[in-house]
């Protein structure tokens, strides 16, 4: 009797743990449905995935926890949810289970399911290139295949005998190779001929608490040295918008030169000449927008000392553009993006680094050219982009000889 996979109607489980995973999951469902028009998609997902016909068994918000205190207070419920989810998936026997990011939760679930004979995929490799490479072997005990967003990652897994595929970075599909500064400025009602600085001090409360004042003070210093400067500050969410308003109200700024935005981070980056931002995914977005940037970051002093003492970091650079530049052969010690971390993350040093970029058009041009090269390196070769490449890698795994635990039955 033909299996559900053979008839093109497999049961496919997806597990997304936060908003970014919901977007990845929605794009993945659309790409998988081209291969399996009658597939049924179940698991944990948000509104975007559900709009693609996904059946979410649990509320994605239960996994969207940040900070140790929040995780600890919700731990009993998380353990209960994981146990129930594993039991339900084992009963459903999906053709494949795809954990989308959220490694703290998903890798444990995947490991139990793989031991039971289900095929498992982990979509979005944790940062094994920065933190303890030996974790790659542990991830391989959870996933039959790891889907990587960065081109240097599969080689790391290969050293540990793990099947990993580079599928391209979804953000690389969302940004054009040539950014339209004029259109972005028109959308934000910014003068076309004014110097513009975009300031992004992080998307979480603890980041704003540590970076807000030095970033705003740096912007004030740059404005004092650069006549006509316009400063745009996009807020990641409504809560951050209110906190930024309060912070700005207590900081001496020229209100006419400062524009606080509700979202629109990509537009702010594309409208800017230079971007001042916190280390993280936003540095990748600024790179894809082809904007020279200065990166600053601070963590709790105790956390920083422990990380340095235990030599937990494998790299002496933190911003993704710098890491990618080295991985893609631009030079073993190349630093495209100035990084001011921990004690160096002061208003004076940030302002000096930003002004240095504003005052050196030749350097800005070289950075933009390098960013264009890295953008191409992050794109999947397939016409459908990252989602299509990920769907292909998952579909290939599903076509392996079916085991009794992968017949795609009903929940």
């Amino acid at each position: 009797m033909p299996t559900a996979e053979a008839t093109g109607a497999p049961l496919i489980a997806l597990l997304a743990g936060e908003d970014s995973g919901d977007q990845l999951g929605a794009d993945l469902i659309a790409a998988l449905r081209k291969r399996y028009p009658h597939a049924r998609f179940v698991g944990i997902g948000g509104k975007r995935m559900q709009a693609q016909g996904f059946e979410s068994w649990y509320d994605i918000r239960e996994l969207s926890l940040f900070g140790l205190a929040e995780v600890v207070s919700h731990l009993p419920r998380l353990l209960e949810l994981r146990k129930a989810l594993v039991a339900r998936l084992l009963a459903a026997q999906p053709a494949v289970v795809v954990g989308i990011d959220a490694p703290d939760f998903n890798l444990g679930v995947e490991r139990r399911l793989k031991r039971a004979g289900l095929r498992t995929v982990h979509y979005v490799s944790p940062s094994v290139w920065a933190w303890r490479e030996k974790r790659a072997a542990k991830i391989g005990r959870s996933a039959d295949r790891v889907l990587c967003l960065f081109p240097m990652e599969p080689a790391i897994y290969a050293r540990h005998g793990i099947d990993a595929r580079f599928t391209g970075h979804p953000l690389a599909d969302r940004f054009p190779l040539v950014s339209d500064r004029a259109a972005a400025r028109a959308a934000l009602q910014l003068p076309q001929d004014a110097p513009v600085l975009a300031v992004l001090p992080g998307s979480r409360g603890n980041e704003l608490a540590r970076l807000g004042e030095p970033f705003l003070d740096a912007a004030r210093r740059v404005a004092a040295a650069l006549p006509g400067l316009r400063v745009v500050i996009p807020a990641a969410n409504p809560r951050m918008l209110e906190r930024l308003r309060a912070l700005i109200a207590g900081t001496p700024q020229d209100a006419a030169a400062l524009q606080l935005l509700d979202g629109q981070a990509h537009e702010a980056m594309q409208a800017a000449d230079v971007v001042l931002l916190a280390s993280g995914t936003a540095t990748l977005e600024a790179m894809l927008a082809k904007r020279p940037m200065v990166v600053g970051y601070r963590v709790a002093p105790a956390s920083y000392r422990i990380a340095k003492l235990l030599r937990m970091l494998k790299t002496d650079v933190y911003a993704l553009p710098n890491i990618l530049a080295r991985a893609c052969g631009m030079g073993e010690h190349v630093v495209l993006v100035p990084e001011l971390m921990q004690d160096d993350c002061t208003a004076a040093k940030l302002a000096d680094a930003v002004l240095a970029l504003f005052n050196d058009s030749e350097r800005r041009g070289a950075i933009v050219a390098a960013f264009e090269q890295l953008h191409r390196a992050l794109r999947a070769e397939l016409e459908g982009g990252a989602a299509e490449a990920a769907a292909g890698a998952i579909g290939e795994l599903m076509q392996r000889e079916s085991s009794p635990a992968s017949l795609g039955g009903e929940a």
Side-chain angles (χ1 to χ4, degrees):
M1 181 176 179
T3 67
E5 294 170 62
T7 60
L11 181 69
I12 299 174
L14 306 175
L15 310 176
E18 53 191 65
D19 188 66
S20 60
D22 185 38
Q23 181 64 64
L24 286 174
D27 294 341
L28 181 59
I29 291 170
L32 284 168
R33 206 177 288 285
K34 295 176 185 177
R35 289 172 166 73
Y36 306 102
H38 305 293
R40 180 182 167 205
F41 298 92
V42 301
I44 302 177
K47 292 180 180 179
R48 295 184 185 92
M49 292 170 67
Q50 291 172 46
Q52 293 288 340
F54 180 80
E55 179 186 331
S56 188
W57 289 343
Y58 304 94
D59 190 338
I60 191 174
R61 290 175 295 182
E62 294 195 70
L63 302 187
S64 301
L65 302 174
F66 300 104
L68 181 62
E70 288 185 85
V71 173
V72 170
S73 65
H74 290 81
L75 188 58
R77 172 56 187 159
L78 285 173
L79 294 174
E80 178 186 338
L81 188 155
R82 185 171 67 180
K83 181 178 180 181
L85 175 63
V86 168
R88 192 165 182 178
L89 288 169
L90 289 176
Q93 295 290 289
V96 66
V97 179
V98 183
I100 304 174
D101 210 357
D104 292 337
F105 181 85
N106 277 333
L107 289 174
V109 172
E110 294 162 28
R111 185 165 57 252
R112 288 163 175 76
L113 297 175
K114 184 180 179 182
R115 286 174 181 167
L118 288 178
R119 284 173 288 199
T120 58
V121 173
H122 191 74
Y123 187 18
V124 183
S125 166
S127 302
V128 292
W129 36 264
W131 297 86
R132 301 191 308 278
E133 182 181 314
K134 291 182 180 179
R135 290 185 309 152
K138 184 177 180 181
I139 294 165
R141 292 195 288 272
S142 297
D144 291 301
R145 177 167 289 174
V146 181
L147 306 185
C148 303
L149 306 191
F150 297 110
M152 69 279 195
E153 293 174 323
I156 297 173
Y157 285 97
R159 290 198 286 268
H160 298 273
I162 309 303
D163 181 5
R165 306 292 177 87
F166 169 60
T167 57
H169 202 296
L171 280 174
D173 299 329
R174 297 190 188 123
F175 282 86
L177 282 173
V178 178
S179 185
D180 192 340
R181 177 186 281 111
R185 290 194 175 190
L188 298 179
Q189 299 182 321
L190 289 168
Q192 293 292 338
D193 57 351
V196 176
L197 171 67
V199 178
L200 293 87
S203 59
R204 298 175 182 174
N206 61 348
E207 290 176 327
L208 187 60
R210 294 191 180 103
L211 301 176
E213 288 189 10
F215 272 42
L216 287 174
D217 191 10
R220 180 182 58 78
R221 291 167 183 251
V222 175
L226 203 60
L229 179 74
R230 300 294 296 270
V231 179
V232 290
I233 308 177
N237 52 57
R239 181 186 298 179
M240 291 297 288
L241 183 64
E242 291 307 311
R243 293 189 65 170
L244 279 166
R245 280 201 183 108
L247 189 60
I248 290 168
T251 305
Q253 298 280 340
D254 180 356
L258 191 149
Q259 190 170 339
L260 184 59
L261 305 174
D262 186 359
Q264 298 177 285
H266 290 178
E267 291 85 349
M269 291 177 182
Q270 292 179 66
D273 297 291
V274 177
V275 181
L276 171 61
L277 73 172
S279 182
T281 303
T283 63
L284 179 64
E285 294 170 336
M287 184 197 84
L288 294 170
K290 317 302 180 306
R291 293 299 175 260
M293 71 190 85
V294 172
V295 177
Y297 208 70
R298 290 176 179 171
V299 297
S303 299
Y304 183 76
R305 286 195 298 270
I306 290 171
K308 296 286 283 186
L309 180 66
L310 299 180
R311 298 181 181 178
M312 295 170 68
L313 287 172
K314 292 178 55 194
T315 176
D316 62 340
V317 291
Y318 306 88
L320 282 168
N322 288 334
I323 292 167
L324 287 170
R326 295 183 180 188
C328 293
M330 290 185 177
E332 186 179 352
H333 303 292
V334 67
V335 178
L336 291 178
V337 174
E339 299 182 7
L340 295 164
M341 300 295 174
Q342 212 60 16
D343 294 340
D344 287 329
C345 186
T346 65
K349 290 185 177 182
L350 292 169
D352 287 345
V354 168
L355 282 168
L357 285 174
F358 268 111
N359 294 329
D360 192 340
S361 59
E362 185 175 343
R363 182 184 175 194
R364 294 202 309 272
I367 291 171
V368 169
F371 285 175
E372 288 176 354
Q373 184 179 337
L374 292 174
H375 191 164
R376 290 187 176 90
L378 287 181
R379 282 191 163 179
E381 295 182 0
L382 293 179
E383 184 178 339
E388 188 67 28
I394 293 167
E396 182 183 280
L397 184 67
M398 289 170 60
Q399 296 309 312
R400 287 183 181 175
E401 184 177 353
S402 300
S403 66
S406 57
L407 299 182
E410 290 295 316

PDB file of all heavy atoms in Angstrom, residues 80-106:
ATOM      1  N   GLU A  80       6.157  20.321  30.639  1.00  0.00           N
ATOM      2  CA  GLU A  80       4.878  19.649  30.382  1.00  0.00           C
ATOM      3  C   GLU A  80       4.525  19.700  28.899  1.00  0.00           C
ATOM      4  O   GLU A  80       4.095  18.706  28.300  1.00  0.00           O
ATOM      5  CB  GLU A  80       3.785  20.328  31.214  1.00  0.00           C
ATOM      6  CG  GLU A  80       2.389  19.748  31.000  1.00  0.00           C
ATOM      7  CD  GLU A  80       1.323  20.561  31.733  1.00  0.00           C
ATOM      8  OE1 GLU A  80       1.679  21.268  32.698  1.00  0.00           O
ATOM      9  OE2 GLU A  80       0.147  20.484  31.327  1.00  0.00           O
ATOM     10  N   LEU A  81       4.751  20.895  28.287  1.00  0.00           N
ATOM     11  CA  LEU A  81       4.454  21.063  26.865  1.00  0.00           C
ATOM     12  C   LEU A  81       5.351  20.163  26.028  1.00  0.00           C
ATOM     13  O   LEU A  81       4.885  19.513  25.076  1.00  0.00           O
ATOM     14  CB  LEU A  81       4.636  22.531  26.484  1.00  0.00           C
ATOM     15  CG  LEU A  81       4.198  22.972  25.083  1.00  0.00           C
ATOM     16  CD1 LEU A  81       3.860  24.458  25.089  1.00  0.00           C
ATOM     17  CD2 LEU A  81       5.288  22.718  24.042  1.00  0.00           C
ATOM     18  N   ARG A  82       6.623  20.105  26.363  1.00  0.00           N
ATOM     19  CA  ARG A  82       7.548  19.275  25.582  1.00  0.00           C
ATOM     20  C   ARG A  82       7.167  17.797  25.657  1.00  0.00           C
ATOM     21  O   ARG A  82       7.181  17.095  24.639  1.00  0.00           O
ATOM     22  CB  ARG A  82       8.985  19.469  26.081  1.00  0.00           C
ATOM     23  CG  ARG A  82      10.012  18.736  25.235  1.00  0.00           C
ATOM     24  CD  ARG A  82      11.422  19.115  25.595  1.00  0.00           C
ATOM     25  NE  ARG A  82      11.804  18.683  26.932  1.00  0.00           N
ATOM     26  CZ  ARG A  82      13.003  18.913  27.473  1.00  0.00           C
ATOM     27  NH1 ARG A  82      13.908  19.599  26.806  1.00  0.00           N
ATOM     28  NH2 ARG A  82      13.278  18.487  28.687  1.00  0.00           N
ATOM     29  N   LYS A  83       6.813  17.352  26.835  1.00  0.00           N
ATOM     30  CA  LYS A  83       6.420  15.956  26.996  1.00  0.00           C
ATOM     31  C   LYS A  83       5.169  15.637  26.184  1.00  0.00           C
ATOM     32  O   LYS A  83       5.108  14.614  25.474  1.00  0.00           O
ATOM     33  CB  LYS A  83       6.175  15.664  28.481  1.00  0.00           C
ATOM     34  CG  LYS A  83       5.775  14.219  28.770  1.00  0.00           C
ATOM     35  CD  LYS A  83       5.594  14.009  30.266  1.00  0.00           C
ATOM     36  CE  LYS A  83       5.182  12.568  30.563  1.00  0.00           C
ATOM     37  NZ  LYS A  83       4.980  12.353  32.030  1.00  0.00           N
ATOM     38  N   ALA A  84       4.181  16.539  26.242  1.00  0.00           N
ATOM     39  CA  ALA A  84       2.943  16.323  25.497  1.00  0.00           C
ATOM     40  C   ALA A  84       3.183  16.385  23.992  1.00  0.00           C
ATOM     41  O   ALA A  84       2.618  15.606  23.215  1.00  0.00           O
ATOM     42  CB  ALA A  84       1.897  17.359  25.909  1.00  0.00           C
ATOM     43  N   LEU A  85       4.041  17.314  23.566  1.00  0.00           N
ATOM     44  CA  LEU A  85       4.343  17.463  22.143  1.00  0.00           C
ATOM     45  C   LEU A  85       5.024  16.214  21.601  1.00  0.00           C
ATOM     46  O   LEU A  85       4.652  15.709  20.528  1.00  0.00           O
ATOM     47  CB  LEU A  85       5.234  18.688  21.942  1.00  0.00           C
ATOM     48  CG  LEU A  85       5.748  18.927  20.516  1.00  0.00           C
ATOM     49  CD1 LEU A  85       4.591  19.193  19.557  1.00  0.00           C
ATOM     50  CD2 LEU A  85       6.742  20.089  20.497  1.00  0.00           C
ATOM     51  N   VAL A  86       6.024  15.705  22.327  1.00  0.00           N
ATOM     52  CA  VAL A  86       6.725  14.498  21.875  1.00  0.00           C
ATOM     53  C   VAL A  86       5.751  13.327  21.764  1.00  0.00           C
ATOM     54  O   VAL A  86       5.756  12.589  20.762  1.00  0.00           O
ATOM     55  CB  VAL A  86       7.880  14.157  22.839  1.00  0.00           C
ATOM     56  CG1 VAL A  86       8.431  12.762  22.557  1.00  0.00           C
ATOM     57  CG2 VAL A  86       8.991  15.200  22.723  1.00  0.00           C
ATOM     58  N   ALA A  87       4.891  13.157  22.761  1.00  0.00           N
ATOM     59  CA  ALA A  87       3.921  12.060  22.727  1.00  0.00           C
ATOM     60  C   ALA A  87       2.977  12.194  21.537  1.00  0.00           C
ATOM     61  O   ALA A  87       2.665  11.206  20.849  1.00  0.00           O
ATOM     62  CB  ALA A  87       3.136  12.026  24.035  1.00  0.00           C
ATOM     63  N   ARG A  88       2.538  13.408  21.274  1.00  0.00           N
ATOM     64  CA  ARG A  88       1.595  13.620  20.171  1.00  0.00           C
ATOM     65  C   ARG A  88       2.257  13.371  18.816  1.00  0.00           C
ATOM     66  O   ARG A  88       1.654  12.807  17.905  1.00  0.00           O
ATOM     67  CB  ARG A  88       1.036  15.041  20.244  1.00  0.00           C
ATOM     68  CG  ARG A  88      -0.160  15.265  19.332  1.00  0.00           C
ATOM     69  CD  ARG A  88      -0.877  16.551  19.713  1.00  0.00           C
ATOM     70  NE  ARG A  88      -2.059  16.767  18.869  1.00  0.00           N
ATOM     71  CZ  ARG A  88      -2.904  17.774  18.996  1.00  0.00           C
ATOM     72  NH1 ARG A  88      -2.701  18.674  19.963  1.00  0.00           N
ATOM     73  NH2 ARG A  88      -3.942  17.901  18.204  1.00  0.00           N
ATOM     74  N   LEU A  89       3.512  13.795  18.681  1.00  0.00           N
ATOM     75  CA  LEU A  89       4.224  13.565  17.427  1.00  0.00           C
ATOM     76  C   LEU A  89       4.518  12.084  17.217  1.00  0.00           C
ATOM     77  O   LEU A  89       4.431  11.577  16.091  1.00  0.00           O
ATOM     78  CB  LEU A  89       5.526  14.377  17.405  1.00  0.00           C
ATOM     79  CG  LEU A  89       5.353  15.890  17.232  1.00  0.00           C
ATOM     80  CD1 LEU A  89       6.664  16.621  17.506  1.00  0.00           C
ATOM     81  CD2 LEU A  89       4.838  16.228  15.835  1.00  0.00           C
ATOM     82  N   LEU A  90       4.872  11.383  18.278  1.00  0.00           N
ATOM     83  CA  LEU A  90       5.105   9.946  18.151  1.00  0.00           C
ATOM     84  C   LEU A  90       3.820   9.217  17.753  1.00  0.00           C
ATOM     85  O   LEU A  90       3.851   8.249  16.986  1.00  0.00           O
ATOM     86  CB  LEU A  90       5.657   9.382  19.459  1.00  0.00           C
ATOM     87  CG  LEU A  90       7.095   9.784  19.800  1.00  0.00           C
ATOM     88  CD1 LEU A  90       7.494   9.254  21.174  1.00  0.00           C
ATOM     89  CD2 LEU A  90       8.064   9.265  18.743  1.00  0.00           C
ATOM     90  N   ALA A  91       2.707   9.700  18.250  1.00  0.00           N
ATOM     91  CA  ALA A  91       1.422   9.097  17.862  1.00  0.00           C
ATOM     92  C   ALA A  91       1.063   9.437  16.421  1.00  0.00           C
ATOM     93  O   ALA A  91       0.511   8.616  15.689  1.00  0.00           O
ATOM     94  CB  ALA A  91       0.325   9.585  18.805  1.00  0.00           C
ATOM     95  N   ALA A  92       1.394  10.638  15.986  1.00  0.00           N
ATOM     96  CA  ALA A  92       1.031  11.095  14.639  1.00  0.00           C
ATOM     97  C   ALA A  92       1.931  10.499  13.560  1.00  0.00           C
ATOM     98  O   ALA A  92       1.506  10.340  12.423  1.00  0.00           O
ATOM     99  CB  ALA A  92       1.103  12.620  14.577  1.00  0.00           C
ATOM    100  N   GLN A  93       3.199  10.183  13.908  1.00  0.00           N
ATOM    101  CA  GLN A  93       4.157   9.618  12.955  1.00  0.00           C
ATOM    102  C   GLN A  93       4.300  10.459  11.678  1.00  0.00           C
ATOM    103  O   GLN A  93       4.048   9.989  10.567  1.00  0.00           O
ATOM    104  CB  GLN A  93       3.745   8.190  12.588  1.00  0.00           C
ATOM    105  CG  GLN A  93       3.796   7.198  13.728  1.00  0.00           C
ATOM    106  CD  GLN A  93       5.232   6.883  14.144  1.00  0.00           C
ATOM    107  OE1 GLN A  93       5.955   6.217  13.421  1.00  0.00           O
ATOM    108  NE2 GLN A  93       5.632   7.366  15.293  1.00  0.00           N
ATOM    109  N   PRO A  94       4.706  11.721  11.796  1.00  0.00           N
ATOM    110  CA  PRO A  94       4.895  12.543  10.597  1.00  0.00           C
ATOM    111  C   PRO A  94       6.053  12.036   9.739  1.00  0.00           C
ATOM    112  O   PRO A  94       6.938  11.324  10.224  1.00  0.00           O
ATOM    113  CB  PRO A  94       5.191  13.932  11.170  1.00  0.00           C
ATOM    114  CG  PRO A  94       5.756  13.657  12.522  1.00  0.00           C
ATOM    115  CD  PRO A  94       5.040  12.447  13.041  1.00  0.00           C
ATOM    116  N   ALA A  95       6.037  12.410   8.466  1.00  0.00           N
ATOM    117  CA  ALA A  95       7.105  12.018   7.550  1.00  0.00           C
ATOM    118  C   ALA A  95       8.423  12.655   7.947  1.00  0.00           C
ATOM    119  O   ALA A  95       9.493  12.087   7.726  1.00  0.00           O
ATOM    120  CB  ALA A  95       6.729  12.421   6.127  1.00  0.00           C
ATOM    121  N   VAL A  96       8.373  13.849   8.509  1.00  0.00           N
ATOM    122  CA  VAL A  96       9.565  14.548   8.958  1.00  0.00           C
ATOM    123  C   VAL A  96       9.154  15.578  10.007  1.00  0.00           C
ATOM    124  O   VAL A  96       8.023  16.086   9.973  1.00  0.00           O
ATOM    125  CB  VAL A  96      10.285  15.233   7.771  1.00  0.00           C
ATOM    126  CG1 VAL A  96       9.437  16.355   7.183  1.00  0.00           C
ATOM    127  CG2 VAL A  96      11.658  15.764   8.164  1.00  0.00           C
ATOM    128  N   VAL A  97      10.057  15.861  10.939  1.00  0.00           N
ATOM    129  CA  VAL A  97       9.841  16.901  11.945  1.00  0.00           C
ATOM    130  C   VAL A  97      10.931  17.951  11.750  1.00  0.00           C
ATOM    131  O   VAL A  97      12.115  17.636  11.776  1.00  0.00           O
ATOM    132  CB  VAL A  97       9.902  16.347  13.375  1.00  0.00           C
ATOM    133  CG1 VAL A  97       9.702  17.468  14.381  1.00  0.00           C
ATOM    134  CG2 VAL A  97       8.867  15.252  13.571  1.00  0.00           C
ATOM    135  N   VAL A  98      10.515  19.202  11.558  1.00  0.00           N
ATOM    136  CA  VAL A  98      11.449  20.299  11.313  1.00  0.00           C
ATOM    137  C   VAL A  98      11.403  21.265  12.492  1.00  0.00           C
ATOM    138  O   VAL A  98      10.394  21.952  12.698  1.00  0.00           O
ATOM    139  CB  VAL A  98      11.115  21.048  10.006  1.00  0.00           C
ATOM    140  CG1 VAL A  98      12.151  22.143   9.746  1.00  0.00           C
ATOM    141  CG2 VAL A  98      11.035  20.080   8.831  1.00  0.00           C
ATOM    142  N   GLY A  99      12.465  21.310  13.272  1.00  0.00           N
ATOM    143  CA  GLY A  99      12.575  22.306  14.328  1.00  0.00           C
ATOM    144  C   GLY A  99      13.155  23.577  13.743  1.00  0.00           C
ATOM    145  O   GLY A  99      14.228  23.554  13.140  1.00  0.00           O
ATOM    146  N   ILE A 100      12.439  24.677  13.882  1.00  0.00           N
ATOM    147  CA  ILE A 100      12.864  25.943  13.288  1.00  0.00           C
ATOM    148  C   ILE A 100      13.471  26.822  14.378  1.00  0.00           C
ATOM    149  O   ILE A 100      12.747  27.356  15.228  1.00  0.00           O
ATOM    150  CB  ILE A 100      11.685  26.656  12.603  1.00  0.00           C
ATOM    151  CG1 ILE A 100      11.037  25.743  11.558  1.00  0.00           C
ATOM    152  CG2 ILE A 100      12.141  27.960  11.966  1.00  0.00           C
ATOM    153  CD1 ILE A 100       9.775  26.314  10.931  1.00  0.00           C
ATOM    154  N   ASP A 101      14.801  26.932  14.355  1.00  0.00           N
ATOM    155  CA  ASP A 101      15.528  27.733  15.337  1.00  0.00           C
ATOM    156  C   ASP A 101      15.157  27.280  16.756  1.00  0.00           C
ATOM    157  O   ASP A 101      15.004  26.096  16.992  1.00  0.00           O
ATOM    158  CB  ASP A 101      15.242  29.212  15.104  1.00  0.00           C
ATOM    159  CG  ASP A 101      16.425  30.102  15.512  1.00  0.00           C
ATOM    160  OD1 ASP A 101      17.428  29.577  16.028  1.00  0.00           O
ATOM    161  OD2 ASP A 101      16.344  31.317  15.295  1.00  0.00           O
ATOM    162  N   ALA A 102      15.024  28.195  17.726  1.00  0.00           N
ATOM    163  CA  ALA A 102      14.662  27.871  19.117  1.00  0.00           C
ATOM    164  C   ALA A 102      15.389  26.621  19.609  1.00  0.00           C
ATOM    165  O   ALA A 102      14.770  25.659  20.049  1.00  0.00           O
ATOM    166  CB  ALA A 102      13.145  27.682  19.232  1.00  0.00           C
ATOM    167  N   PRO A 103      16.736  26.604  19.552  1.00  0.00           N
ATOM    168  CA  PRO A 103      17.460  25.363  19.846  1.00  0.00           C
ATOM    169  C   PRO A 103      17.287  24.843  21.261  1.00  0.00           C
ATOM    170  O   PRO A 103      17.303  23.627  21.474  1.00  0.00           O
ATOM    171  CB  PRO A 103      18.926  25.743  19.566  1.00  0.00           C
ATOM    172  CG  PRO A 103      18.975  27.234  19.695  1.00  0.00           C
ATOM    173  CD  PRO A 103      17.639  27.716  19.202  1.00  0.00           C
ATOM    174  N   ASP A 104      17.127  25.732  22.236  1.00  0.00           N
ATOM    175  CA  ASP A 104      16.996  25.273  23.622  1.00  0.00           C
ATOM    176  C   ASP A 104      15.792  24.360  23.804  1.00  0.00           C
ATOM    177  O   ASP A 104      15.829  23.436  24.613  1.00  0.00           O
ATOM    178  CB  ASP A 104      16.887  26.472  24.572  1.00  0.00           C
ATOM    179  CG  ASP A 104      18.184  27.263  24.657  1.00  0.00           C
ATOM    180  OD1 ASP A 104      19.243  26.687  24.356  1.00  0.00           O
ATOM    181  OD2 ASP A 104      18.136  28.451  25.003  1.00  0.00           O
ATOM    182  N   PHE A 105      14.745  24.618  23.049  1.00  0.00           N
ATOM    183  CA  PHE A 105      13.548  23.780  23.123  1.00  0.00           C
ATOM    184  C   PHE A 105      13.574  22.686  22.061  1.00  0.00           C
ATOM    185  O   PHE A 105      13.390  21.507  22.350  1.00  0.00           O
ATOM    186  CB  PHE A 105      12.295  24.642  22.945  1.00  0.00           C
ATOM    187  CG  PHE A 105      11.006  23.862  23.033  1.00  0.00           C
ATOM    188  CD1 PHE A 105      10.413  23.592  24.250  1.00  0.00           C
ATOM    189  CD2 PHE A 105      10.388  23.399  21.873  1.00  0.00           C
ATOM    190  CE1 PHE A 105       9.229  22.869  24.337  1.00  0.00           C
ATOM    191  CE2 PHE A 105       9.196  22.679  21.946  1.00  0.00           C
ATOM    192  CZ  PHE A 105       8.615  22.412  23.171  1.00  0.00           C
ATOM    193  N   ASN A 106      13.836  23.067  20.825  1.00  0.00           N
ATOM    194  CA  ASN A 106      13.656  22.146  19.703  1.00  0.00           C
ATOM    195  C   ASN A 106      14.662  21.002  19.667  1.00  0.00           C
ATOM    196  O   ASN A 106      14.307  19.874  19.308  1.00  0.00           O
ATOM    197  CB  ASN A 106      13.695  22.916  18.381  1.00  0.00           C
ATOM    198  CG  ASN A 106      12.362  23.528  18.034  1.00  0.00           C
ATOM    199  OD1 ASN A 106      11.311  23.045  18.442  1.00  0.00           O
ATOM    200  ND2 ASN A 106      12.388  24.615  17.282  1.00  0.00           N
TER     201      ASN A 106
END
